[in-house]
Amino acid sequence: MQGKYRALWLNDDDFLEVIDQTKLPFSYETKVLKTTDEVVTAIKDMTVRGAGVIGSVAAFGIYTASMEVKSYDELKEKVKFIRESRPTAVNLMWAVDRMMEYLKDSTNLVEDSKKYATELNDEEALESQNIAKYGCDIIEDILKKKDKKIINILTHCNAGWLAVIDEGTALAPIYEAKKRGIDVHVWVDETRPRNQGASLTAWELTQSGVNHTIIADNTGGHLMQIGEVDMVITGADRVSANGDVANKIGTYLKALAAYDNNVPFYVAIPVSTFDFDIKDGVKEIPIELRSEDEVKYMRGVDCDGVVREVLITPKDSPAINYGFDVTPARLITGLITDKGICEADFQEIKKKFN
Amino acid sequence: MQGKYRALWLNDDDFLEVIDQTKLPFSYETKVLKTTDEVVTAIKDMTVRGAGVIGSVAAFGIYTASMEVKSYDELKEKVKFIRESRPTAVNLMWAVDRMMEYLKDSTNLVEDSKKYATELNDEEALESQNIAKYGCDIIEDILKKKDKKIINILTHCNAGWLAVIDEGTALAPIYEAKKRGIDVHVWVDETRPRNQGASLTAWELTQSGVNHTIIADNTGGHLMQIGEVDMVITGADRVSANGDVANKIGTYLKALAAYDNNVPFYVAIPVSTFDFDIKDGVKEIPIELRSEDEVKYMRGVDCDGVVREVLITPKDSPAINYGFDVTPARLITGLITDKGICEADFQEIKKKFN
């Protein structure tokens, strides 16, 4: 299993290869993305997903595109499709912009784009390692303050190594805690409608030997009421200048419950997730509408081991599928970034990062 | 379809017959419950569910049990199993207690228990009709205040005619609104892990021609943020003397979001749902733990029309399944009861009902 702790890599033929995350947790399969079209499709159909991984795939996607073109201008045209493949992903925009800036004066697009994409990937790995350290310091503080031996952390969606190189964002402090010998248990939100928690996070944590329990998205509030959650850590797709957080739909509900029960609510992000152009996240961040079929159909494995998709609603009942919501900064205890902890506050963010 | 707008009835042979709600929305099937054991199993495995329907089934279950016994004392022994079939359902306890009180001096247990169960059923129908009227008056008020033509109501789980004789609790005001010619649209929470919203509520509303859209449980907060929810109505399994509401897991999260966005949050209940012995619902109401398989497996119909159960998580990842949570009274705008609207407040409730 080449990609055991990596979501993407360059294979022996120097093509971009990725774990097909739509097949998890039922089977481990990889896909080679040889054309720009295949890269765009992989992002759109969520073969790859997660803020960081989408950024990395976009960067290597530009390398893939560079093999199909003769000039920077032609590359720019191809890259438009990559840019438009996922409107909410600020990391994708950031990676594309940076790559294209680097390549402006390149005389060898293929070689240079490969080099820059690799660099970007390595930087991201370093960011994840820093998030791990800063986040784990908070875990140790909470344990000390509560005089507890086990920490119960709730997470929503998947922000581990399937989402962000190298060990993720939200899950990085958890992996670090395990390394430091801390007894850690994770409440894994199922994360309907695509079930990234129940499938990807639970699979990742199983691979990594981390104790966890899957819960329906409805359950977190009750667990907080009865004192079974010591902290929440989620990732984010975009954080506005005022500290509002766009993340997987349902994050806002968990933040409300955490606030109501005095449970610390942290968001783990690389600094590249900030979108300083957006002053008010709740009002301004656009929310992706996805297919109703993601709500109406469910994929799983039957008693004979066959993966099947089943309709779980009345056929004619319509459904609506918003991919994200925005959690107001006032509900967030802090942002765990690769440059340290920061309050979710306009002035603080400006002082530290802008 | 004999039970089109009824969840249970006495069939031509005078046996209790119910809609098998575990088969919905994929097929319409009924079950005849001929023994106490069958009644207990039907409640436990959720062939029948919903506060009111469980109460009615328990009442007719005592009639069923009466056919198996020779004395009131023997009946009492049988009825223990009915009483223990669903620990959170205060309606069930209430129905059982009332039936057994009525039957204390009966000289014909079979005839009398049938008569009393029918009476209890008829009373419940009247309660539902009253809830419909009081609730619909609130809908009209909200429309007037907002100067709107369409009302968007969010509901969680199923509290319609599959749950409570005759048109439900939470859904009764909605059916009444349709009768009064109001343009009503319902946001149907999927209600994981058993999907009572996506299956039962969506099916019921389809049968009754009410506009609706199914959403993942994660979506309600975002819809409230963008102004797409005018009010929330849920049912309840138990309401404590101070107005705390035990209802399907996840209700609390929606109440938090409603409060945060100034969306009126109503709970529709017959007065029998109050448990005056419980002073503090959040602290005292026991929460049922159900099988983890309800989280890990999902039932649906495949492309060939075959109903299948599929595993949706890694096989070895554990899950936990709390059936209910408790919404604190402070988050509730009002209780829509069959005796009128009441604040979720200890003094108010005491003054009106105790």
Side-chain angles (χ1 to χ4, degrees):
Chain A
M1 200 157 95
Q2 182 171 16
K4 189 169 181 191
Y5 297 101
R6 285 165 72 199
L8 69 147
W9 58 93
L10 286 187
N11 69 13
D12 295 342
D13 301 323
D14 261 3
F15 285 117
L16 176 59
E17 190 164 347
V18 300
I19 296 182
D20 184 351
Q21 301 197 26
T22 65
K23 295 291 196 307
L24 295 175
F26 313 115
S27 66
Y28 174 82
E29 293 175 29
T30 68
K31 260 190 187 170
V32 182
L33 308 177
K34 289 190 177 177
T35 66
T36 312
D37 275 1
E38 285 173 356
V39 169
V40 168
T41 305
I43 295 172
K44 276 195 179 164
D45 72 7
M46 298 179 94
T47 300
V48 290
R49 27 69 54 205
V53 165
I54 287 179
S56 287
V57 167
F60 281 109
I62 291 176
Y63 158 64
T64 305
S66 73
M67 295 186 262
E68 298 168 359
V69 299
K70 294 213 169 74
S71 70
Y72 182 80
D73 284 342
E74 272 180 59
L75 184 64
K76 253 169 97 177
E77 285 303 306
K78 285 267 174 203
V79 165
K80 263 187 199 163
F81 298 104
I82 297 176
R83 190 190 291 276
E84 288 161 6
S85 59
R86 204 74 198 280
T88 328
V90 67
N91 254 62
L92 181 149
M93 312 302 163
W94 174 85
V96 168
D97 287 344
R98 217 182 82 164
M99 287 290 292
M100 293 309 282
E101 179 63 28
Y102 278 161
L103 293 171
K104 228 166 31 187
D105 305 314
S106 164
T107 51
N108 188 331
L109 285 172
V110 174
E111 195 173 298
D112 285 348
S113 62
K114 182 180 161 188
K115 189 180 110 195
Y116 294 139
T118 306
E119 272 178 27
L120 190 140
N121 210 36
D122 291 347
E123 275 175 35
E124 196 172 284
L126 189 65
E127 287 169 3
S128 169
Q129 288 151 23
N130 286 332
I131 288 169
K133 280 174 210 152
Y134 292 122
C136 193
D137 291 347
I138 294 174
I139 292 175
E140 286 187 336
D141 280 354
I142 290 172
L143 280 174
K144 210 177 291 169
K145 224 181 279 173
K146 287 195 166 183
D147 197 23
K148 283 188 65 175
K149 290 270 172 280
I150 301 179
I151 190 142
N152 287 297
I153 302 177
L154 186 143
T155 192
H156 191 70
C157 199
N158 175 264
W161 59 262
L162 286 168
V164 175
I165 311 295
D166 139 270
E167 288 194 329
T169 51
L171 297 189
I174 290 164
Y175 292 129
E176 177 70 17
K178 196 171 148 66
K179 279 181 209 156
R180 293 192 198 173
I182 295 167
D183 200 349
V184 57
H185 168 262
V186 184
W187 296 112
V188 178
D189 263 1
E190 177 180 37
T191 319
R192 288 281 295 142
R194 287 189 65 90
N195 300 18
Q196 292 97 332
S199 54
L200 306 180
T201 298
W203 183 79
E204 236 199 84
L205 294 175
T206 303
Q207 301 301 310
S208 310
V210 175
N211 278 335
H212 63 280
T213 307
I214 299 169
I215 51 174
D217 299 306
N218 285 322
T219 311
H222 175 65
L223 287 174
M224 292 183 206
Q225 281 181 316
I226 62 173
E228 290 292 332
V229 182
D230 298 309
M231 77 186 296
V232 180
I233 316 181
T234 74
D237 281 65
R238 194 187 290 217
V239 178
S240 58
N242 67 334
D244 292 346
V245 166
N247 190 45
K248 186 61 52 199
I249 191 86
T251 303
Y252 167 50
L253 294 171
K254 291 305 137 60
L256 284 166
Y259 192 83
D260 201 44
N261 292 283
N262 292 309
V263 173
F265 188 97
Y266 284 94
V267 176
I269 46 162
V271 172
S272 56
T273 310
F274 284 110
D275 185 341
F276 296 108
D277 293 339
I278 293 189
K279 304 294 172 220
D280 182 327
V282 174
K283 285 192 186 142
E284 297 170 39
I285 295 177
I287 301 298
E288 185 184 358
L289 254 179
R290 300 183 55 85
S291 161
E292 67 162 10
D293 286 352
E294 291 183 356
V295 178
K296 296 184 71 173
Y297 291 84
M298 186 74 111
R299 216 168 39 84
V301 63
D302 72 11
C303 52
D304 299 320
V306 180
V307 175
R308 292 185 187 273
E309 192 162 79
V310 292
L311 174 69
I312 58 170
T313 67
K315 199 164 179 286
D316 296 328
S317 288
I320 200 163
N321 182 11
Y322 287 97
F324 302 87
D325 62 20
V326 181
T327 300
R330 65 186 149 86
L331 302 175
I332 296 164
T333 312
L335 305 168
I336 305 169
T337 83
D338 52 304
K339 308 274 185 238
I341 308 301
C342 176
E343 273 178 56
D345 171 81
F346 185 79
Q347 291 304 334
E348 278 285 314
I349 291 169
K350 197 175 164 188
K351 206 163 61 187
K352 280 202 167 130
F353 305 117
N354 204 1
Chain B
M1 201 157 95
Q2 181 170 17
K4 189 170 181 190
Y5 296 103
R6 284 164 73 198
L8 69 147
W9 58 93
L10 286 187
N11 68 12
D12 294 343
D13 301 322
D14 262 2
F15 284 118
L16 175 59
E17 189 164 348
V18 300
I19 296 182
D20 184 350
Q21 301 196 26
T22 66
K23 293 291 196 306
L24 295 175
F26 313 115
S27 66
Y28 174 83
E29 293 175 30
T30 69
K31 260 189 187 170
V32 182
L33 308 177
K34 288 191 176 175
T35 66
T36 311
D37 276 0
E38 286 174 357
V39 168
V40 168
T41 304
I43 294 172
K44 276 195 177 163
D45 72 8
M46 296 180 94
T47 301
V48 291
R49 25 71 54 205
V53 165
I54 288 178
S56 286
V57 167
F60 282 109
I62 292 176
Y63 158 65
T64 305
S66 74
M67 294 186 262
E68 298 167 357
V69 299
K70 294 216 170 69
S71 71
Y72 183 80
D73 284 342
E74 272 180 59
L75 183 63
K76 252 169 98 177
E77 284 304 305
K78 285 268 174 202
V79 165
K80 264 188 198 161
F81 298 103
I82 296 176
R83 190 190 291 275
E84 287 160 8
S85 60
R86 203 75 197 279
T88 330
V90 68
N91 255 61
L92 182 147
M93 311 304 163
W94 174 86
V96 168
D97 287 344
R98 216 184 82 164
M99 287 289 292
M100 293 309 282
E101 179 63 29
Y102 278 162
L103 293 171
K104 228 163 38 184
D105 304 315
S106 165
T107 51
N108 188 331
L109 285 173
V110 175
E111 194 173 299
D112 286 348
S113 61
K114 182 180 160 189
K115 187 180 111 196
Y116 294 138
T118 306
E119 272 178 26
L120 190 140
N121 210 37
D122 290 347
E123 274 175 35
E124 196 172 283
L126 188 65
E127 286 168 5
S128 169
Q129 288 150 22
N130 286 332
I131 288 169
K133 281 175 209 150
Y134 291 122
C136 193
D137 291 347
I138 294 175
I139 292 175
E140 287 187 336
D141 280 354
I142 290 173
L143 280 174
K144 211 178 289 169
K145 225 182 277 172
K146 288 196 165 182
D147 198 22
K148 283 188 65 175
K149 290 270 171 278
I150 300 179
I151 190 143
N152 287 297
I153 302 175
L154 186 144
T155 192
H156 191 70
C157 199
N158 174 263
W161 60 260
L162 285 168
V164 175
I165 310 295
D166 135 271
E167 288 194 329
T169 52
L171 297 189
I174 290 165
Y175 292 130
E176 177 71 17
K178 196 172 147 66
K179 280 182 208 154
R180 291 191 199 173
I182 295 167
D183 200 350
V184 57
H185 168 261
V186 183
W187 297 112
V188 178
D189 263 0
E190 176 179 38
T191 319
R192 288 282 294 144
R194 287 189 65 90
N195 301 17
Q196 292 96 333
S199 55
L200 306 181
T201 298
W203 184 80
E204 234 198 87
L205 294 175
T206 302
Q207 302 301 311
S208 310
V210 176
N211 278 334
H212 63 281
T213 306
I214 299 169
I215 51 174
D217 299 306
N218 285 321
T219 311
H222 175 65
L223 287 174
M224 292 183 206
Q225 281 181 315
I226 61 173
E228 290 291 332
V229 182
D230 299 308
M231 78 186 294
V232 180
I233 316 179
T234 74
D237 280 67
R238 196 187 289 216
V239 178
S240 59
N242 68 334
D244 292 346
V245 166
N247 191 44
K248 188 59 52 195
I249 191 85
T251 303
Y252 167 49
L253 295 171
K254 291 305 138 59
L256 284 166
Y259 192 83
D260 201 44
N261 292 283
N262 292 310
V263 174
F265 188 99
Y266 284 94
V267 176
I269 46 162
V271 171
S272 56
T273 310
F274 284 110
D275 185 342
F276 296 107
D277 292 339
I278 293 189
K279 304 294 174 221
D280 182 326
V282 172
K283 285 192 186 142
E284 297 170 40
I285 295 177
I287 301 296
E288 185 184 358
L289 254 179
R290 300 182 53 85
S291 161
E292 66 162 10
D293 286 352
E294 291 183 355
V295 178
K296 297 184 70 174
Y297 292 85
M298 185 74 109
R299 216 167 40 83
V301 63
D302 73 10
C303 52
D304 299 319
V306 180
V307 176
R308 293 187 186 272
E309 191 162 80
V310 292
L311 174 68
I312 58 169
T313 67
K315 199 165 179 288
D316 297 328
S317 288
I320 200 163
N321 182 12
Y322 288 97
F324 301 87
D325 62 20
V326 181
T327 300
R330 65 184 148 87
L331 303 175
I332 295 164
T333 311
L335 305 167
I336 305 169
T337 82
D338 53 303
K339 308 273 186 239
I341 309 301
C342 176
E343 272 178 57
D345 171 81
F346 185 80
Q347 292 304 334
E348 278 285 313
I349 291 169
K350 196 174 164 188
K351 206 164 61 187
K352 279 202 167 130
F353 305 117
N354 205 0

